[in-house]
Amino acid sequence: MVDTEKLEEGMTKQYETIKEKGGIDNIEFLSEDIQEDVANFKVKLTYGDGSTKEEKVKLVKEEGDWKLGISK
């Protein structure tokens, strides 16, 4: 588990980066790996200023709902 303070810190930093780059203009899914209750995606974010960044995203299924997975 990630403590709340570190999670809030990370989310604030991501928000500020996205804001500085003019928001997110597009999200392109590059790959997916879904195995029962865990889904891993590789996505390419295109920001409003034209810059791009590739990210890994993990979703975990809990009680029938998909939730964003957080890793340290």
Side-chain angles (χ1 to χ4, degrees):
M1 299 292 294
V2 176
D3 73 36
T4 303
E5 186 177 318
K6 286 189 181 198
L7 178 59
E8 288 177 5
E9 232 175 75
M11 296 293 284
T12 299
K13 184 178 177 183
Q14 280 291 89
Y15 172 78
E16 290 300 321
T17 299
I18 291 168
K19 187 176 168 184
E20 289 170 6
K21 293 178 178 263
I24 296 175
D25 189 49
N26 188 51
I27 301 173
E28 178 183 353
F29 286 82
L30 302 175
S31 66
E32 66 179 50
D33 179 24
I34 303 170
Q35 308 249 341
E36 295 186 26
D37 293 342
V38 177
N40 291 291
F41 299 94
K42 186 174 183 182
V43 297
K44 179 180 176 182
L45 303 174
T46 302
Y47 298 100
D49 67 0
S51 64
T52 62
K53 180 178 183 182
E54 290 186 8
E55 291 276 346
K56 292 180 182 178
V57 179
K58 179 180 182 178
L59 300 177
V60 179
K61 195 177 220 180
E62 290 184 356
E63 298 177 9
D65 295 322
W66 288 98
K67 299 180 181 183
L68 187 60
I70 304 292
S71 60
K72 292 183 179 180

